[in-house]
Amino acid sequence: MGSWFAAWRPPRPPQTAYERAVALIERGRHADSLAVWDAAAGEAPDDATRARIRNKRGVALIALGRRNDAVAEFCAALVLDERSAPVLVNIGNLLLEEGHIEDASDHYRAALRCDERYAAAHRNLGIACKRAGRHAEAVRHLRVATRQEMRLKR
């Protein structure tokens, strides 16, 4: 029993600006995360990382009710990495919330062309298909999403 306690270590505090910003988002401190996301962008080694940061910053802006600013962040992210499945899904989500089912579906399909295993794209495309009355397609995408999510948990 002593070896278990000896092996336990407290969680490491966030070290990078990216880790600090994620920790702030996880605690619901979206406004506080914005400046830290800016710092993380300064540390980013490449455009793909900067796109991921712009996407996360967009998510924080949505949580703050700043949809237009979020859209600007998502668009800036796509300029940096046009194949970012998470960004395409987030834009699709905004479109779906506004009732633009087919436009949202197009974004989810574009995300799947970039990453066919991206569970969020399958799940949200399934939701959009269900709203559009395409139930068989909805079920297929929701099943794929569930399988992909299960694989991630392993």
Side-chain angles (χ1 to χ4, degrees), residues 88-99:
L88 291 165
V89 166
N90 282 331
I91 293 170
N93 292 346
L94 291 174
L95 290 165
L96 189 63
E97 288 172 7
E98 294 171 357

Side-chain angles (χ1 to χ4, degrees), residues 4-141:
W4 183 84
F5 288 108
W8 183 84
R9 300 224 189 299
R12 180 178 66 82
Q15 300 296 314
T16 67
Y18 185 91
E19 291 172 343
R20 289 191 305 275
V22 167
L24 287 168
I25 293 276
E26 288 172 350
R27 291 195 304 263
R29 295 177 51 196
H30 303 285
D32 295 335
S33 76
L34 296 177
V36 185
W37 286 123
D38 292 339
E43 295 175 359
D46 54 42
D47 282 347
T49 304
R50 281 186 280 283
R52 193 168 68 243
I53 290 165
R54 299 296 292 254
N55 182 55
K56 297 276 192 186
R57 195 171 194 285
V59 170
L61 289 164
I62 288 171
L64 294 169
R66 296 172 51 189
R67 292 173 67 91
N68 291 338
D69 293 333
V71 169
E73 287 296 325
F74 296 146
C75 290
L78 285 178
V79 168
L80 294 167
D81 181 6
E82 65 186 15
R83 297 190 47 81
S84 175
V87 175
L88 291 165
V89 166
N90 282 331
I91 293 170
N93 292 346
L94 291 174
L95 290 165
L96 189 63
E97 288 172 7
E98 294 171 357
H100 303 289
I101 296 170
E102 292 309 315
D103 290 336
S105 296
D106 290 344
H107 279 78
Y108 300 140
R109 285 187 181 93
L112 290 171
R113 285 191 297 276
C114 297
D115 182 356
E116 66 185 23
R117 297 177 301 173
Y118 192 52
H122 280 289
R123 181 178 5 90
N124 294 353
L125 181 54
I127 292 166
C129 288
K130 183 177 179 189
R131 288 188 189 174
R134 297 189 306 269
H135 298 288
E137 186 180 358
V139 169
R140 184 173 58 80
H141 284 290

